[in-house]
Amino acid sequence: MSRADKYEKIERIGEGTYGTVYKARSLLTQEIVALKKVRLDDEDDGVPSSALREICLLKELRHPNIVRLLDVIHTEKTLNLIFEYCDQDLKKYFDSCNGDIDSTTVQSFFWQLLQGLSYCHEHSVLHRDLKPQNLLLTKNGELKLADFGLARAYGIPVKCYSSEVVTLWYRPPDVLFGAKIYTTSIDIWSAGCIFAELANGGKPLFPGESVDDQLRRIFKVIGTPTEETWPGVSSLPEYKPFSIYQPTLSLIHFVPKLNNKGKDLLLRCLICNPNQRISAADALQHPYFSDIQSVN
């Protein structure tokens, strides 16, 4: 029996950045796993760079809130990545909860998201594609960051990165304006959008239809940035002036179910100027998590 034959597909459960994902069973241990199958049809292209990147990063990242890569099986026509199995993703969870998530669950999920994110950032990894579909949940309520196909290591010297990252609804203003240099703040914005979505029972905060529409939706809620509030914004590659919105409602009015401490933390995540956003490590120390901090 070849290594690739040691897993029996049970059902197709989704699409990753570059491959089809199946629920599968190990024929040796009977363990249920997730199998991401990448077809290698074009000999010229070989293994997709995103797959190689995910493999390299996940071999180094070991944390309870990051999905575990268990095995990699390379055959002539496919690359099979074997992951620990999680029951559903956060998007499917949203779809099943009918717009109502209790405050304890919101707090727990955001705490776990930040735990995984803080670990990534401490190990110089940017996820760059945080969204509900890439956050997996176990039946025990554990949340795990997944799909590192767009992730990359960062460090000194600073290099120019791609601005073609992060799904539109979770993309920060600096990247929407074409920023090629960014830091961990890119993930914090996405995390803040997900935090608001959790608090609103799965309703997206900024569901834009285009880059311009996305920016307009953001600015209408938190105000249009200027050189005074965000020095250098007008020098970004794809910057264009927008109407100066003085929001009639603060961001906190868009998350009525969040308590005041939660609203304060959200405000610290969703700041247009990336240099002013809170870090994942500091967010974990925020008073919003005081009852969790006392236990951990």
Side-chain angles (χ1 to χ4, degrees):
M1 181 187 294
S2 71
R3 287 178 66 208
D5 293 331
K6 291 178 181 177
Y7 295 94
E8 174 189 28
K9 296 191 192 77
I10 298 172
E11 62 178 316
R12 181 177 171 278
I13 55 177
E15 295 287 333
T17 301
Y18 49 81
T20 306
V21 184
Y22 298 90
K23 180 179 181 180
R25 178 187 292 107
S26 167
L27 297 178
L28 295 179
T29 66
Q30 300 303 306
E31 179 185 11
I32 299 298
V33 298
L35 187 155
K36 184 184 284 189
K37 186 174 184 178
V38 186
R39 287 201 172 277
L40 308 176
D41 292 332
D42 190 337
E43 293 179 6
D44 294 331
D45 289 339
V47 179
S49 59
S50 52
L52 290 173
R53 187 181 292 149
E54 181 163 38
I55 292 167
C56 291
L57 291 175
L58 286 178
K59 281 193 169 184
E60 301 298 322
L61 298 174
R62 295 286 180 185
H63 189 275
N65 298 117
I66 296 174
V67 70
R68 272 188 305 129
L69 177 63
L70 303 174
D71 198 2
V72 178
I73 303 170
H74 193 182
T75 70
E76 186 177 344
K77 293 185 177 180
T78 64
L79 180 70
N80 297 296
L81 277 59
I82 312 300
F83 294 95
E84 65 175 312
Y85 179 75
C86 296
D87 297 86
Q88 63 180 334
D89 62 41
L90 187 59
K91 175 66 169 65
K92 290 176 181 172
Y93 178 83
F94 285 157
D95 294 341
S96 69
C97 67
N98 298 317
D100 189 27
I101 304 174
D102 68 84
S103 59
T104 303
T105 301
V106 172
Q107 185 192 52
S108 171
F109 283 172
F110 194 45
W111 168 265
Q112 293 182 74
L113 192 169
L114 289 170
Q115 286 278 3
L117 200 54
S118 178
Y119 180 86
C120 287
H121 293 171
E122 286 169 14
H123 290 78
S124 301
V125 171
L126 305 176
H127 187 283
R128 303 200 304 177
D129 196 20
L130 288 178
K131 57 184 176 182
Q133 293 91 329
N134 289 344
L135 299 175
L136 304 182
L137 301 173
T138 71
K139 58 187 175 186
N140 298 323
E142 297 168 316
L143 180 146
K144 296 173 185 283
L145 277 61
D147 204 332
F148 282 69
L150 287 176
R152 66 158 298 147
Y154 74 94
I156 299 172
V158 174
K159 297 177 181 177
C160 289
Y161 304 137
S162 169
S163 58
E164 298 298 316
V165 291
V166 187
T167 300
L168 185 63
W169 294 358
Y170 308 93
R171 196 179 304 166
D174 44 313
V175 181
L176 289 165
F177 277 144
K180 298 290 194 293
I181 297 175
Y182 44 76
T183 65
T184 53
S185 63
I186 185 175
D187 290 334
I188 294 299
W189 178 277
S190 304
C193 292
I194 294 167
F195 184 27
E197 199 164 336
L198 279 165
N200 288 335
K203 180 182 177 183
L205 184 60
F206 302 125
E209 297 179 2
S210 66
V211 168
D212 283 0
D213 183 47
Q214 188 70 19
L215 284 164
R216 196 171 290 110
R217 286 172 182 265
I218 292 169
F219 298 158
K220 280 183 176 179
V221 174
I222 61 179
T224 307
T226 64
E227 279 293 329
E228 287 69 41
T229 61
W230 180 359
V233 62
S234 60
S235 301
L236 290 171
E238 294 167 31
Y239 172 81
K240 62 176 71 172
F242 276 78
S243 300
I244 299 297
Y245 293 108
Q246 302 291 350
T248 53
L249 286 175
S250 167
L251 173 63
I252 61 175
H253 292 285
F254 287 80
V255 283
K257 295 180 182 177
L258 258 188
N259 63 27
N260 288 336
K261 291 176 181 177
K263 289 174 179 176
D264 180 77
L265 177 54
L266 180 63
L267 288 171
R268 293 171 187 265
C269 294
L270 297 180
I271 298 175
C272 279
N273 184 342
N275 297 320
Q276 295 176 0
R277 287 175 213 146
I278 194 170
S279 69
D282 286 345
L284 288 166
Q285 300 302 315
H286 191 276
Y288 173 65
F289 295 119
S290 57
D291 51 338
I292 296 180
Q293 293 159 0
S294 63
V295 174
N296 285 267

